[in-house]
Amino acid sequence: MKPWVITLIVIAVVLTIAVIVLYFLGKKAQKKQAEQQEILNANRQTFSMLIIDKKRMKMRDAGLPQIVMDQVPRLMRGSKMPIVKAKVGPQIMSLICEDKIFDSVPVKKEVKAVVSGIYILEVKGLHGKQEIQPPKKKSRFKRALEAAQEKAGAKPIK
């Protein structure tokens, strides 16, 4: 056999093994996530809180309790997370927010939030008017892509 055929077969075998391993790791991670979601739902509580500030910041800079920092894997400590600083009752706390609702959390407003430990799951009742978030600026690439599509007469991608 020719050497390029052998190389091609070896690459195909390695890729097949990698796909199989990723499949089983994905299944395992999915089960773990489902268990964690059940635990979060079991410990839900509704609090009225005043949102002071919200930012995406590194966990080590967020001012979270040391117990939380010890439980987080080392690689995750440097990643940015949605952190909300809120006044719950008489004390000010740093809470981790669900990524899906982070943009809808109003700043300097009192809200009713569903919390599980130090994790905000959802924002239920908002006092006062809810501010509509202005649309985000498009990146240079997207603007150039839309301009090129307009010139070509194609339907723009959103």
Side-chain angles (χ1 to χ4, degrees), residues 9-150:
I9 292 172
V10 169
I11 290 173
V13 169
V14 169
L15 286 176
T16 305
I17 291 171
V19 167
I20 292 170
V21 167
L22 287 175
Y23 172 77
F24 286 111
L25 288 176
K27 256 188 153 178
K28 185 177 177 183
Q30 199 172 24
K31 286 180 185 176
K32 196 173 186 180
Q33 183 184 17
E35 290 173 8
Q36 289 172 349
Q37 193 64 39
E38 287 177 21
I39 292 170
L40 284 175
N41 289 337
N43 297 325
R44 298 175 84 136
Q45 294 179 339
T46 303
F47 288 109
S48 179
M49 59 179 66
L50 175 69
I51 306 296
I52 298 170
D53 189 25
K54 67 176 187 175
K55 291 182 192 174
R56 290 190 187 276
M57 58 186 349
K58 295 182 179 181
M59 287 191 73
R60 61 176 170 254
D61 301 334
L64 296 171
Q66 187 61 38
I67 296 170
V68 174
M69 294 303 295
D70 292 341
Q71 292 177 353
V72 174
R74 289 196 190 274
L75 294 175
M76 288 296 294
R77 291 180 193 167
S79 65
K80 290 189 176 184
M81 298 202 56
I83 304 292
V84 173
K85 199 165 268 227
K87 183 174 182 181
V88 183
Q91 65 188 33
I92 296 174
M93 301 174 67
S94 291
L95 303 168
I96 301 171
C97 186
E98 179 107 13
D99 207 19
K100 291 181 267 185
I101 64 163
F102 182 69
D103 292 330
S104 67
V105 175
V107 180
K108 308 271 193 233
K109 300 267 184 181
E110 189 172 339
V111 298
K112 287 193 185 270
V114 177
V115 179
S116 178
I118 63 164
Y119 197 70
I120 299 176
L121 299 173
E122 62 183 85
V123 177
K124 275 190 173 176
L126 302 174
H127 291 272
K129 291 184 179 178
Q130 183 176 3
E131 295 177 12
I132 299 171
Q133 296 286 334
K136 291 184 178 179
K137 281 188 169 180
K138 294 182 182 175
S139 67
R140 261 189 204 176
F141 177 73
K142 286 197 176 184
R143 286 193 307 252
L145 182 66
E146 285 179 3
Q149 287 176 344
E150 284 178 17

